[in-house]
Amino acid sequence: MSTQDELKHKVALAALDYFDDYDMVVGIGTGSTVNCLIDVLPQVKNRIEACVSSSEETTKRLKEKGFVVKELNQTGPLSLYIDGADECDTHNRLIKGGGGALTREKIIAAASDKFICIVDESKMVNILGCFPLPVEVIPMAQSHVGRALAKLGGQPELRQGFTTDNGNIIIDVHNLKIIDPLKLEGEINNIAGVVCNGIFAHQKSYATLVASSKGIKTQKI
Ligand code: 5RP
């Protein structure tokens, strides 16, 4: 039996196969699985010209390893984006944002040709929503957005003591059973004051690499 940390390390190693070209400008996500990726990324350093990072934390770690980190506005579209997730369903639709970096993550996913998601098997679900859905909100809209999220059937809870890299708050929404992720993603984005929500159905992954004690499975739709 492998521990969850061992699985994160294994799936991070498997993601290196996608660095299949030279002079690549790649998007790098945020979280403990991505931290495992950054630890092994020096193995493909000769293929990477620069990285675009989804958080201050990832930027710091990439720079410590000697990678060039550029702004998305400097680079144009990216060929590859690698990131983790909090939940993934059988259609590669995701919940992200447990680390609070969902907005930059969604921007990078949208700007990338291929989004490869890396997870351990504990993240796989049939229906999204057991993990509380993170929603990034402009601070003055907190109560308005909270009421609107409650009307959609969830139980909103402010993430205490947390400010995003963009200077906003996160509301985590509990007990949503997300039967139609595409629809709910759009509905939540339409609430005034919402910057972004953690459903990645419009920006689902191209492939999800899933680590279990049996090995790595690639889920492609
Ligand atoms: C950060 C994220 C992460 O990808 C997600 O929270 C998974 O993190 P971890 O790899 O630590 O389980 O969306 O905003």
Side-chain angles (χ1 to χ4, degrees):
M1 221 17 205
S2 310
T3 66
Q4 196 179 19
D5 282 348
E6 285 165 349
L7 295 181
K8 287 178 183 184
H9 178 71
K10 276 186 193 161
V11 79
L13 274 175
L16 297 184
D17 288 347
Y18 287 85
F19 292 79
D20 54 3
D21 207 349
Y22 289 92
D23 302 322
M24 294 179 81
V25 183
V26 295
I28 305 290
T30 297
S32 56
T33 315
V34 165
N35 291 345
C36 292
L37 174 71
I38 296 171
D39 285 343
V40 297
L41 210 53
Q43 293 181 31
V44 289
K45 200 169 196 169
N46 60 337
R47 296 183 168 226
I48 300 174
E49 182 192 311
C51 302
V52 173
S53 159
S54 69
S55 65
E56 302 302 331
E57 175 63 25
T58 289
T59 299
K60 182 172 149 274
R61 286 173 183 264
L62 286 168
K63 285 186 174 169
E64 279 168 6
K65 299 272 183 213
F67 288 96
V68 174
V69 179
K70 289 190 173 172
E71 295 296 326
L72 185 61
N73 287 328
Q74 291 177 276
T75 65
L78 308 176
S79 51
L80 178 66
Y81 174 46
I82 304 204
D83 200 356
D86 300 299
E87 279 186 352
C88 175
D89 74 8
T90 50
H91 299 275
N92 282 345
R93 300 174 299 199
L94 313 168
I95 286 186
K96 290 185 47 54
L102 61 155
T103 301
R104 295 186 188 192
E105 291 171 343
K106 203 176 272 191
I107 293 167
I108 298 176
S112 301
D113 290 340
K114 247 183 214 172
F115 169 19
I116 305 297
C117 182
I118 51 174
V119 294
D120 64 80
E121 61 184 344
S122 69
K123 309 288 184 68
M124 298 307 290
V125 298
N126 288 323
I127 296 175
L128 299 174
C130 269
F131 190 90
L133 177 69
V135 182
E136 180 164 354
V137 175
I138 302 283
M140 73 163 284
Q142 179 188 335
S143 54
H144 167 71
V145 172
R147 284 190 295 273
L149 291 169
K151 272 192 199 153
L152 290 173
Q155 287 168 294
E157 185 188 16
L158 177 68
R159 196 177 293 185
Q160 295 290 341
F162 186 86
T163 304
T164 70
D165 287 345
N166 312 309
N168 297 313
I169 56 171
I170 296 275
I171 296 178
D172 292 304
V173 193
H174 298 257
N175 300 322
L176 283 173
K177 205 171 181 192
I178 306 176
I179 306 293
D180 188 342
L182 269 179
K183 183 163 170 256
L184 189 63
E185 183 179 4
E187 279 174 358
I188 296 177
N189 281 343
N190 271 338
I191 302 169
V194 167
V195 178
C196 182
N197 74 81
I199 301 175
F200 281 53
H202 288 95
Q203 263 78 45
K204 65 184 183 178
S205 62
Y206 164 79
T208 300
L209 311 186
V210 187
S212 72
S213 46
K214 291 186 202 136
I216 305 287
K217 191 181 130 200
T218 302
Q219 177 173 277
K220 243 188 211 174
I221 306 304

